[in-house]
Coordinates of all heavy atoms in Angstrom, one line a residue:
M1 N 17.1 34.9 -65.0 CA 16.3 33.7 -64.7 C 15.4 34.0 -63.6 O 15.7 34.5 -62.6 CB 17.3 32.6 -64.4 CG 16.6 31.4 -63.9 SD 17.8 30.3 -63.4 CE 17.3 28.8 -64.0
S2 N 14.1 33.5 -63.7 CA 13.2 33.7 -62.7 C 12.4 32.4 -62.4 O 12.2 31.7 -63.3 CB 12.2 34.9 -63.1 OG 11.1 34.4 -63.7
I3 N 12.1 32.2 -61.1 CA 11.4 31.0 -60.7 C 10.0 31.5 -60.3 O 9.9 32.3 -59.4 CB 12.1 30.3 -59.6 CG1 13.5 29.9 -60.0 CG2 11.3 29.1 -59.1 CD1 14.4 29.3 -58.9
N4 N 9.0 30.9 -60.9 CA 7.7 31.2 -60.5 C 7.2 30.4 -59.3 O 7.5 29.2 -59.1 CB 6.7 30.8 -61.7 CG 6.9 31.7 -62.9 OD1 7.4 32.8 -62.8 ND2 6.6 31.1 -64.0
K5 N 6.6 31.1 -58.4 CA 6.1 30.5 -57.1 C 4.8 29.8 -57.3 O 3.9 30.4 -57.9 CB 6.0 31.5 -56.0 CG 7.3 32.2 -55.6 CD 7.0 33.2 -54.6 CE 8.2 34.0 -54.2 NZ 8.0 35.0 -53.2
I6 N 4.7 28.6 -56.9 CA 3.4 27.9 -57.0 C 2.6 28.3 -55.8 O 1.4 28.7 -55.9 CB 3.6 26.4 -57.1 CG1 4.3 26.1 -58.4 CG2 2.2 25.7 -57.1 CD1 4.7 24.6 -58.6
N7 N 3.1 28.1 -54.6 CA 2.4 28.4 -53.4 C 3.4 29.3 -52.5 O 4.6 28.9 -52.5 CB 2.0 27.2 -52.5 CG 0.9 26.5 -53.1 OD1 0.0 27.1 -53.7 ND2 0.9 25.2 -52.9
S8 N 2.9 30.3 -51.9 CA 3.8 31.1 -51.1 C 3.9 30.4 -49.7 O 3.1 29.7 -49.3 CB 3.2 32.5 -51.0 OG 2.0 32.5 -50.2
V9 N 5.0 30.8 -49.1 CA 5.2 30.2 -47.7 C 4.2 30.7 -46.8 O 3.7 30.0 -45.9 CB 6.6 30.7 -47.2 CG1 6.9 30.3 -45.8 CG2 7.7 30.1 -48.1
N10 N 3.7 31.9 -46.9 CA 2.7 32.5 -46.0 C 1.4 31.8 -46.2 O 0.7 31.6 -45.2 CB 2.5 34.0 -46.3 CG 3.7 34.8 -45.8 OD1 4.5 34.3 -45.0 ND2 3.9 36.0 -46.3
G11 N 1.1 31.3 -47.4 CA -0.2 30.6 -47.6 C -0.2 29.3 -46.8 O -1.2 28.9 -46.3
V12 N 0.9 28.6 -46.8 CA 1.0 27.3 -46.1 C 0.9 27.6 -44.6 O 0.2 26.9 -43.9 CB 2.4 26.6 -46.4 CG1 2.6 25.4 -45.5 CG2 2.4 26.2 -47.9
N13 N 1.6 28.6 -44.1 CA 1.5 28.8 -42.6 C 0.1 29.2 -42.2 O -0.3 28.8 -41.1 CB 2.5 29.9 -42.3 CG 3.9 29.4 -42.3 OD1 4.2 28.2 -42.2 ND2 4.9 30.4 -42.4
E14 N -0.6 30.0 -43.0 CA -1.9 30.4 -42.6 C -2.9 29.2 -42.6 O -3.7 29.1 -41.8 CB -2.4 31.5 -43.6 CG -1.7 32.8 -43.4 CD -2.1 33.8 -44.5 OE1 -3.2 33.6 -45.1 OE2 -1.4 34.8 -44.6
Y15 N -2.7 28.3 -43.5 CA -3.5 27.1 -43.6 C -3.3 26.2 -42.3 O -4.2 25.7 -41.7 CB -3.2 26.3 -44.8 CG -4.0 25.0 -44.9 CD1 -5.3 25.0 -45.3 CD2 -3.3 23.8 -44.7 CE1 -6.0 23.8 -45.4 CE2 -4.1 22.6 -44.7 CZ -5.4 22.6 -45.1 OH -6.1 21.5 -45.2
A16 N -2.0 26.1 -41.9 CA -1.7 25.3 -40.7 C -2.3 26.0 -39.5 O -2.8 25.3 -38.6 CB -0.2 25.2 -40.6
K17 N -2.3 27.3 -39.4 CA -2.9 27.9 -38.2 C -4.4 27.7 -38.1 O -4.9 27.5 -37.1 CB -2.5 29.4 -38.2 CG -1.1 29.7 -37.9 CD -0.8 31.2 -38.0 CE 0.6 31.5 -37.8 NZ 0.9 33.0 -38.0
M18 N -5.0 27.8 -39.3 CA -6.5 27.6 -39.3 C -6.8 26.2 -38.8 O -7.7 26.0 -38.0 CB -7.0 27.8 -40.7 CG -7.2 29.3 -41.0 SD -8.2 29.6 -42.4 CE -7.4 28.6 -43.7
N19 N -6.1 25.2 -39.3 CA -6.4 23.8 -38.9 C -6.2 23.5 -37.5 O -7.0 22.8 -36.8 CB -5.6 22.8 -39.8 CG -6.3 22.6 -41.1 OD1 -7.4 22.9 -41.3 ND2 -5.5 22.0 -42.0
S20 N -5.1 24.0 -36.9 CA -4.8 23.7 -35.5 C -5.8 24.3 -34.6 O -6.2 23.8 -33.6 CB -3.4 24.2 -35.1 OG -3.3 25.6 -35.2
A21 N -6.3 25.5 -34.9 CA -7.3 26.1 -34.1 C -8.7 25.4 -34.2 O -9.4 25.3 -33.2 CB -7.5 27.6 -34.5
S22 N -9.0 24.9 -35.4 CA -10.3 24.3 -35.5 C -10.3 22.9 -35.0 O -11.4 22.3 -34.7 CB -10.7 24.3 -37.0 OG -9.8 23.5 -37.8
Q23 N -9.1 22.3 -34.8 CA -9.1 20.9 -34.3 C -9.2 20.8 -32.8 O -9.3 19.7 -32.2 CB -7.8 20.2 -34.8 CG -7.9 19.9 -36.3 CD -6.6 19.3 -36.8 OE1 -5.6 19.2 -36.0 NE2 -6.5 19.0 -38.1
T24 N -9.0 21.8 -32.1 CA -9.0 21.8 -30.6 C -10.4 21.7 -30.1 O -11.3 22.5 -30.5 CB -8.4 23.1 -30.1 OG1 -7.1 23.3 -30.6 CG2 -8.3 23.1 -28.6
R25 N -10.6 20.7 -29.3 CA -11.9 20.4 -28.7 C -11.8 20.1 -27.3 O -10.8 19.5 -26.9 CB -12.6 19.2 -29.4 CG -13.2 19.5 -30.8 CD -13.9 18.3 -31.2 NE -13.3 17.7 -32.4 CZ -13.4 16.5 -32.8 NH1 -14.1 15.7 -32.2 NH2 -12.8 16.1 -33.9
K26 N -12.8 20.5 -26.5 CA -12.8 20.1 -25.1 C -13.6 18.8 -25.0 O -14.6 18.7 -25.5 CB -13.4 21.2 -24.2 CG -12.5 22.4 -24.1 CD -13.1 23.4 -23.1 CE -12.2 24.6 -23.0 NZ -12.7 25.6 -22.1
T27 N -13.1 17.9 -24.2 CA -13.8 16.6 -23.9 C -14.0 16.4 -22.5 O -13.2 17.0 -21.6 CB -13.0 15.4 -24.5 OG1 -11.7 15.4 -23.9 CG2 -12.8 15.5 -26.0
D28 N -15.0 15.7 -22.1 CA -15.3 15.5 -20.7 C -14.8 14.1 -20.3 O -15.2 13.6 -19.2 CB -16.8 15.5 -20.5 CG -17.3 17.0 -20.7 OD1 -16.6 17.9 -20.4 OD2 -18.5 17.1 -21.0
I29 N -14.0 13.5 -21.0 CA -13.4 12.2 -20.7 C -12.4 12.3 -19.6 O -11.5 13.2 -19.7 CB -12.8 11.5 -21.9 CG1 -13.9 11.3 -23.0 CG2 -12.2 10.2 -21.6 CD1 -13.3 10.8 -24.3
T30 N -12.5 11.5 -18.6 CA -11.5 11.5 -17.5 C -10.7 10.2 -17.5 O -11.2 9.2 -17.9 CB -12.2 11.7 -16.1 OG1 -13.1 10.6 -16.0 CG2 -13.0 13.0 -16.1
D31 N -9.5 10.3 -17.0 CA -8.7 9.1 -16.9 C -9.2 8.3 -15.7 O -9.6 8.8 -14.7 CB -7.2 9.5 -16.7 CG -6.7 10.1 -17.9 OD1 -7.2 9.9 -19.0 OD2 -5.7 10.9 -17.8
S32 N -9.0 7.0 -15.8 CA -9.4 6.1 -14.7 C -8.5 4.9 -14.7 O -7.9 4.5 -15.8 CB -10.8 5.7 -14.7 OG -11.1 4.9 -15.9
I33 N -8.4 4.2 -13.6 CA -7.6 3.0 -13.5 C -8.4 1.9 -12.8 O -9.4 2.3 -12.0 CB -6.3 3.2 -12.8 CG1 -6.5 3.6 -11.3 CG2 -5.4 4.1 -13.5 CD1 -5.3 3.6 -10.5
S34 N -8.1 0.7 -13.0 CA -8.8 -0.4 -12.2 C -7.7 -1.3 -11.7 O -6.7 -1.6 -12.4 CB -9.8 -1.1 -13.1 OG -9.1 -1.7 -14.2
I35 N -7.8 -1.7 -10.5 CA -6.8 -2.6 -9.8 C -7.4 -3.9 -9.6 O -8.5 -4.0 -9.0 CB -6.4 -1.9 -8.5 CG1 -5.8 -0.5 -8.8 CG2 -5.3 -2.8 -7.8 CD1 -5.5 0.3 -7.6
S36 N -6.7 -4.9 -10.0 CA -7.2 -6.3 -9.8 C -7.3 -6.7 -8.3 O -6.6 -6.1 -7.5 CB -6.4 -7.3 -10.6 OG -5.1 -7.4 -10.0
N37 N -8.1 -7.7 -8.1 CA -8.2 -8.2 -6.7 C -6.9 -8.8 -6.2 O -6.5 -8.7 -5.0 CB -9.3 -9.3 -6.6 CG -10.7 -8.6 -6.7 OD1 -10.8 -7.5 -6.4 ND2 -11.6 -9.4 -7.1
E38 N -6.1 -9.4 -7.1 CA -4.8 -10.0 -6.8 C -3.9 -8.9 -6.4 O -3.1 -9.0 -5.4 CB -4.3 -10.8 -8.0 CG -2.9 -11.4 -7.7 CD -2.4 -12.2 -8.8 OE1 -3.0 -12.2 -9.9 OE2 -1.3 -12.7 -8.7
A39 N -3.9 -7.8 -7.1 CA -3.0 -6.7 -6.7 C -3.4 -6.1 -5.4 O -2.5 -5.7 -4.6 CB -3.0 -5.6 -7.8
L40 N -4.7 -6.0 -5.1 CA -5.1 -5.5 -3.8 C -4.7 -6.4 -2.7 O -4.2 -5.9 -1.6 CB -6.6 -5.3 -3.8 CG -7.2 -4.2 -4.7 CD1 -8.7 -4.2 -4.7 CD2 -6.7 -2.8 -4.2
S41 N -4.8 -7.7 -2.9 CA -4.5 -8.6 -1.8 C -2.9 -8.6 -1.6 O -2.5 -8.7 -0.4 CB -5.0 -10.0 -2.1 OG -4.3 -10.6 -3.2
R42 N -2.2 -8.5 -2.7 CA -0.7 -8.5 -2.5 C -0.3 -7.2 -1.8 O 0.6 -7.2 -1.0 CB 0.0 -8.6 -3.8 CG 0.0 -10.0 -4.4 CD 0.7 -10.1 -5.7 NE 0.6 -11.4 -6.3 CZ 1.6 -12.2 -6.4 NH1 2.8 -11.9 -6.0 NH2 1.4 -13.4 -6.9
S43 N -1.0 -6.1 -2.1 CA -0.7 -4.8 -1.4 C -1.0 -4.9 0.1 O -0.2 -4.4 0.9 CB -1.5 -3.7 -2.1 OG -1.4 -2.5 -1.4
E44 N -2.1 -5.5 0.4 CA -2.5 -5.7 1.8 C -1.5 -6.6 2.5 O -1.1 -6.4 3.6 CB -3.9 -6.3 1.9 CG -4.4 -6.6 3.3 CD -4.7 -5.3 4.0 OE1 -4.7 -4.2 3.4 OE2 -4.9 -5.3 5.2
Q45 N -1.0 -7.7 1.8 CA 0.0 -8.6 2.4 C 1.3 -7.8 2.7 O 1.9 -8.0 3.8 CB 0.2 -9.8 1.5 CG -0.9 -10.8 1.5 CD -0.6 -11.8 0.4 OE1 0.3 -11.8 -0.4 NE2 -1.5 -12.8 0.3
K46 N 1.7 -7.0 1.7 CA 2.9 -6.2 1.9 C 2.8 -5.3 3.1 O 3.7 -5.1 3.9 CB 3.2 -5.5 0.6 CG 4.5 -4.7 0.7 CD 4.8 -4.0 -0.6 CE 6.1 -3.2 -0.5 NZ 6.4 -2.4 -1.6
R47 N 1.6 -4.6 3.2 CA 1.4 -3.7 4.3 C 1.5 -4.4 5.7 O 2.1 -3.9 6.6 CB 0.0 -3.0 4.2 CG -0.2 -1.9 5.2 CD -1.6 -1.3 5.0 NE -2.7 -2.3 5.3 CZ -3.1 -2.5 6.5 NH1 -2.6 -1.9 7.6 NH2 -4.1 -3.4 6.7
I48 N 0.9 -5.6 5.7 CA 0.9 -6.4 7.0 C 2.3 -6.8 7.3 O 2.7 -6.7 8.5 CB -0.1 -7.6 6.9 CG1 -1.5 -7.1 6.8 CG2 0.1 -8.6 8.0 CD1 -2.5 -8.2 6.5
I49 N 3.1 -7.3 6.3 CA 4.4 -7.7 6.6 C 5.3 -6.5 7.1 O 6.1 -6.7 8.0 CB 5.0 -8.3 5.3 CG1 4.4 -9.7 5.0 CG2 6.6 -8.4 5.4 CD1 4.7 -10.3 3.7
E50 N 5.1 -5.3 6.5 CA 5.8 -4.2 7.0 C 5.4 -3.8 8.4 O 6.3 -3.4 9.2 CB 5.6 -3.0 6.1 CG 6.2 -3.1 4.7 CD 5.9 -2.0 3.7 OE1 5.1 -1.1 4.1 OE2 6.4 -2.0 2.6
M51 N 4.2 -4.0 8.8 CA 3.7 -3.7 10.1 C 4.4 -4.7 11.1 O 4.8 -4.3 12.2 CB 2.2 -3.8 10.3 CG 1.5 -2.6 9.7 SD -0.3 -2.8 9.6 CE -0.7 -3.3 11.3
I52 N 4.5 -6.0 10.7 CA 5.1 -7.0 11.6 C 6.6 -6.7 11.8 O 7.1 -6.8 12.9 CB 4.8 -8.4 11.0 CG1 3.4 -8.8 11.1 CG2 5.7 -9.4 11.6 CD1 3.0 -10.0 10.3
K53 N 7.2 -6.3 10.7 CA 8.7 -6.0 10.8 C 8.9 -4.8 11.6 O 9.9 -4.7 12.3 CB 9.3 -5.8 9.4 CG 9.4 -7.1 8.6 CD 10.0 -6.8 7.2 CE 10.2 -8.1 6.4 NZ 10.7 -7.8 5.1
A54 N 8.0 -3.8 11.7 CA 8.2 -2.6 12.5 C 7.8 -2.9 13.9 O 8.2 -2.1 14.8 CB 7.3 -1.5 11.9
A55 N 7.1 -3.9 14.2 CA 6.7 -4.2 15.6 C 7.9 -4.6 16.4 O 8.8 -5.3 15.9 CB 5.6 -5.3 15.6
P56 N 7.9 -4.3 17.7 CA 9.0 -4.7 18.5 C 9.0 -6.2 18.8 O 7.9 -6.8 18.9 CB 8.8 -3.8 19.8 CG 7.4 -3.5 19.8 CD 7.0 -3.4 18.4
D57 N 10.1 -6.8 19.0 CA 10.2 -8.2 19.3 C 9.7 -8.5 20.8 O 9.2 -9.6 21.0 CB 11.6 -8.7 19.2 CG 12.0 -8.8 17.7 OD1 11.1 -8.8 16.8 OD2 13.2 -8.8 17.4
V58 N 9.8 -7.5 21.6 CA 9.4 -7.7 23.0 C 8.2 -6.9 23.3 O 8.1 -5.7 23.0 CB 10.6 -7.3 24.0 CG1 10.2 -7.4 25.4 CG2 11.8 -8.0 23.7
R59 N 7.2 -7.6 23.9 CA 6.0 -6.9 24.3 C 6.1 -6.5 25.7 O 5.9 -7.3 26.6 CB 4.8 -7.8 24.0 CG 4.5 -8.0 22.5 CD 3.3 -8.8 22.3 NE 2.1 -8.3 23.0 CZ 1.0 -9.0 23.1 NH1 0.9 -10.2 22.6 NH2 0.0 -8.4 23.7
A60 N 6.3 -5.2 25.9 CA 6.5 -4.7 27.3 C 5.3 -4.8 28.1 O 5.4 -5.1 29.4 CB 6.9 -3.2 27.2
D61 N 4.1 -4.8 27.5 CA 2.9 -4.9 28.3 C 2.7 -6.3 28.9 O 2.3 -6.5 30.0 CB 1.6 -4.5 27.5 CG 1.5 -5.4 26.2 OD1 2.5 -5.9 25.7 OD2 0.4 -5.6 25.7
R62 N 3.1 -7.3 28.1 CA 3.0 -8.7 28.6 C 4.1 -8.9 29.7 O 3.8 -9.6 30.7 CB 3.2 -9.7 27.5 CG 2.2 -9.6 26.4 CD 0.9 -10.1 26.9 NE 0.9 -11.5 27.1 CZ 0.0 -12.3 27.6 NH1 -1.2 -11.7 27.9 NH2 0.1 -13.5 27.8
I63 N 5.3 -8.3 29.5 CA 6.3 -8.5 30.6 C 5.9 -7.8 31.9 O 6.0 -8.4 33.0 CB 7.6 -7.9 30.1 CG1 8.2 -8.8 28.9 CG2 8.7 -7.8 31.2 CD1 9.4 -8.2 28.2
A64 N 5.3 -6.7 31.8 CA 4.8 -6.0 33.0 C 3.7 -6.8 33.6 O 3.6 -6.9 34.9 CB 4.3 -4.6 32.6
E65 N 2.8 -7.4 32.8 CA 1.8 -8.3 33.4 C 2.3 -9.4 34.2 O 1.9 -9.7 35.3 CB 0.9 -8.8 32.2 CG -0.3 -9.6 32.7 CD -1.1 -10.2 31.5 OE1 -1.0 -9.6 30.4 OE2 -1.8 -11.2 31.7
V66 N 3.3 -10.1 33.6 CA 3.9 -11.3 34.3 C 4.7 -10.8 35.6 O 4.6 -11.5 36.6 CB 4.9 -12.0 33.4 CG1 5.7 -13.1 34.1 CG2 4.1 -12.7 32.2
K67 N 5.4 -9.7 35.5 CA 6.0 -9.1 36.7 C 5.0 -8.8 37.8 O 5.3 -9.1 39.0 CB 6.8 -7.9 36.3 CG 8.1 -8.2 35.6 CD 8.9 -6.9 35.4 CE 10.2 -7.2 34.7 NZ 11.0 -5.9 34.4
A68 N 3.9 -8.3 37.4 CA 2.9 -8.0 38.4 C 2.3 -9.2 39.1 O 2.1 -9.3 40.3 CB 1.8 -7.2 37.8
K69 N 2.1 -10.3 38.2 CA 1.6 -11.5 38.8 C 2.7 -12.2 39.7 O 2.3 -12.7 40.8 CB 1.3 -12.5 37.7 CG 0.0 -12.1 36.9 CD -0.4 -13.1 35.9 CE -1.6 -12.7 35.1 NZ -2.0 -13.6 34.1
L70 N 3.9 -12.1 39.4 CA 5.0 -12.6 40.2 C 5.1 -11.8 41.5 O 5.4 -12.4 42.6 CB 6.3 -12.7 39.5 CG 6.5 -13.7 38.4 CD1 7.8 -13.6 37.7 CD2 6.4 -15.1 39.1
A71 N 4.9 -10.5 41.4 CA 5.0 -9.7 42.6 C 3.9 -10.0 43.6 O 4.0 -10.0 44.8 CB 5.0 -8.2 42.3
A72 N 2.7 -10.3 43.0 CA 1.5 -10.6 43.8 C 1.6 -12.0 44.4 O 1.2 -12.2 45.5 CB 0.2 -10.4 43.0
N73 N 2.2 -12.9 43.6 CA 2.2 -14.3 44.1 C 3.6 -14.9 43.6 O 3.7 -15.3 42.5 CB 1.0 -15.1 43.5 CG 1.0 -16.5 43.9 OD1 1.8 -17.0 44.8 ND2 0.1 -17.3 43.3
P74 N 4.6 -14.9 44.5 CA 5.9 -15.5 44.1 C 5.8 -16.9 43.6 O 6.7 -17.4 42.9 CB 6.7 -15.3 45.3 CG 6.0 -14.3 46.2 CD 4.6 -14.4 45.8
N75 N 4.9 -17.7 44.0 CA 4.7 -19.1 43.7 C 3.9 -19.2 42.4 O 3.3 -20.3 42.2 CB 4.2 -19.9 44.8 CG 5.0 -19.8 46.0 OD1 6.3 -19.8 45.9 ND2 4.5 -19.8 47.2
Y76 N 3.7 -18.2 41.6 CA 2.8 -18.2 40.5 C 3.2 -19.3 39.5 O 2.3 -20.1 39.0 CB 2.9 -16.9 39.8 CG 2.0 -16.8 38.5 CD1 0.6 -16.8 38.6 CD2 2.6 -16.8 37.2 CE1 -0.1 -16.7 37.4 CE2 1.9 -16.7 36.1 CZ 0.5 -16.7 36.2 OH -0.3 -16.6 35.1
F77 N 4.5 -19.5 39.2 CA 4.9 -20.5 38.3 C 4.9 -21.9 38.9 O 5.0 -22.9 38.2 CB 6.3 -20.2 37.7 CG 6.2 -19.1 36.6 CD1 6.8 -17.9 36.8 CD2 5.4 -19.3 35.5 CE1 6.7 -16.9 35.9 CE2 5.4 -18.3 34.5 CZ 6.0 -17.1 34.7
D78 N 4.8 -22.0 40.2 CA 4.7 -23.3 40.8 C 3.3 -23.9 40.7 O 3.1 -25.1 40.9 CB 5.1 -23.2 42.3 CG 6.5 -22.9 42.5 OD1 7.3 -23.2 41.5 OD2 6.9 -22.4 43.5
D79 N 2.3 -23.0 40.4 CA 0.9 -23.4 40.2 C 0.8 -24.2 38.9 O 1.1 -23.7 37.8 CB 0.0 -22.2 40.2 CG -1.5 -22.6 40.2 OD1 -1.8 -23.7 40.4 OD2 -2.3 -21.6 40.0
V80 N 0.3 -25.5 39.0 CA 0.2 -26.3 37.8 C -0.8 -25.7 36.8 O -0.6 -25.8 35.6 CB -0.2 -27.7 38.2 CG1 -0.4 -28.6 37.0 CG2 0.9 -28.3 39.1
T81 N -1.9 -25.2 37.3 CA -2.9 -24.6 36.4 C -2.3 -23.4 35.6 O -2.6 -23.3 34.4 CB -4.1 -24.2 37.2 OG1 -4.5 -25.2 38.1 CG2 -5.2 -23.7 36.3
A82 N -1.6 -22.6 36.3 CA -1.0 -21.4 35.6 C 0.0 -21.8 34.5 O 0.0 -21.3 33.4 CB -0.4 -20.5 36.6
V83 N 0.8 -22.8 34.8 CA 1.8 -23.3 33.8 C 1.1 -24.0 32.7 O 1.4 -23.7 31.5 CB 2.8 -24.3 34.5 CG1 3.7 -24.9 33.5 CG2 3.6 -23.6 35.6
S84 N 0.0 -24.7 32.9 CA -0.7 -25.4 31.9 C -1.4 -24.4 31.0 O -1.4 -24.5 29.7 CB -1.7 -26.3 32.5 OG -2.5 -26.9 31.5
E85 N -2.0 -23.3 31.6 CA -2.7 -22.3 30.8 C -1.7 -21.5 29.9 O -1.9 -21.2 28.8 CB -3.4 -21.3 31.7 CG -4.7 -21.9 32.4 CD -5.3 -20.9 33.4 OE1 -4.8 -19.7 33.5 OE2 -6.3 -21.3 34.0
T86 N -0.5 -21.3 30.5 CA 0.5 -20.6 29.7 C 1.0 -21.4 28.6 O 1.2 -20.9 27.4 CB 1.7 -20.2 30.6 OG1 1.3 -19.5 31.8 CG2 2.8 -19.4 29.9
A87 N 1.2 -22.7 28.8 CA 1.6 -23.6 27.7 C 0.5 -23.7 26.6 O 0.8 -23.7 25.4 CB 1.9 -25.0 28.3
D88 N -0.7 -23.7 27.0 CA -1.8 -23.8 26.0 C -1.9 -22.5 25.2 O -2.0 -22.5 24.0 CB -3.2 -24.0 26.8 CG -3.3 -25.4 27.3 OD1 -2.6 -26.3 26.9 OD2 -4.2 -25.5 28.2
K89 N -1.7 -21.3 25.9 CA -1.6 -20.1 25.1 C -0.5 -20.0 24.1 O -0.7 -19.6 23.0 CB -1.6 -18.9 26.1 CG -2.8 -18.6 26.9 CD -2.7 -17.5 27.8 CE -3.9 -17.2 28.6 NZ -3.8 -16.1 29.5
L90 N 0.7 -20.5 24.5 CA 1.8 -20.5 23.6 C 1.5 -21.4 22.4 O 1.9 -21.1 21.3 CB 3.1 -21.0 24.4 CG 3.7 -20.0 25.3 CD1 4.9 -20.7 26.1 CD2 4.3 -18.9 24.5
M91 N 1.0 -22.6 22.7 CA 0.7 -23.5 21.6 C -0.4 -22.9 20.6 O -0.2 -23.0 19.4 CB 0.2 -24.8 22.1 CG 1.2 -25.6 22.8 SD 2.7 -25.9 21.8 CE 2.0 -27.0 20.6
N92 N -1.4 -22.2 21.2 CA -2.4 -21.6 20.3 C -1.8 -20.4 19.5 O -2.2 -20.3 18.3 CB -3.5 -21.0 21.2 CG -4.4 -22.2 21.7 OD1 -4.5 -23.2 21.1 ND2 -5.1 -21.9 22.8
D93 N -0.8 -19.7 20.1 CA -0.2 -18.6 19.3 C 0.7 -19.2 18.2 O 0.8 -18.5 17.2 CB 0.7 -17.8 20.3 CG -0.2 -16.9 21.2 OD1 -1.4 -16.7 20.9 OD2 0.3 -16.3 22.2
L94 N 1.3 -20.3 18.4 CA 2.2 -20.9 17.4 C 1.4 -21.6 16.3 O 2.0 -21.7 15.2 CB 3.1 -21.9 18.1 CG 4.2 -21.3 19.0 CD1 5.0 -22.4 19.7 CD2 5.1 -20.3 18.3
M95 N 0.2 -21.9 16.6 CA -0.6 -22.7 15.5 C -1.3 -21.7 14.6 O -1.5 -20.8 14.4 CB -1.6 -23.6 16.1 CG -0.9 -24.7 16.9 SD -2.0 -25.8 17.6 CE -1.6 -27.3 16.9

């Protein structure tokens, strides 16, 4: 008994090799992304929150400033103007 071949295996492989080589093309298309304004603002908010969390709770420069004022004038807090200015600054910072 003999089976006649319709197409040889080599013929199919050669056809596939020719097509794959001829289909390869170089393109100048580059990938790009676009970010919405909402995403940008949320990213900025997250960055600011992280900066705030990383900041120390105590500002050494302000403490040194108050210590210097007390050393220069021990009655600094007895001065009504100084206390009023300090209270105003605190209120402005809180608002």
Side-chain angles (χ1 to χ4, degrees):
M1 170 188 224
S2 93
I3 300 175
N4 294 331
K5 297 180 185 177
I6 297 173
N7 288 328
S8 68
V9 174
N10 289 339
V12 172
N13 286 340
E14 290 174 17
Y15 179 75
K17 288 180 185 177
M18 281 194 305
N19 278 345
S20 66
S22 65
Q23 291 176 356
T24 304
R25 286 186 242 159
K26 290 186 179 181
T27 59
D28 293 333
I29 299 173
T30 58
D31 293 335
S32 65
I33 61 169
S34 61
I35 301 172
S36 68
N37 289 335
E38 182 181 359
L40 289 173
S41 67
R42 286 183 186 246
S43 173
E44 182 70 12
Q45 288 173 354
K46 183 178 178 183
R47 187 182 66 82
I48 291 170
I49 289 171
E50 288 174 358
M51 286 174 47
I52 291 170
K53 286 181 180 178
D57 289 337
V58 178
R59 291 183 53 193
D61 59 331
R62 297 292 290 175
I63 292 173
E65 180 184 340
V66 171
K67 282 183 179 180
K69 286 181 180 179
L70 285 174
N73 182 6
N75 298 323
Y76 177 73
F77 284 116
D78 292 337
D79 186 11
V80 176
T81 309
V83 173
S84 177
E85 288 176 6
T86 304
D88 289 340
K89 286 180 183 179
L90 283 172
M91 292 304 292
N92 288 336
D93 287 344
L94 293 174
M95 294 179 122

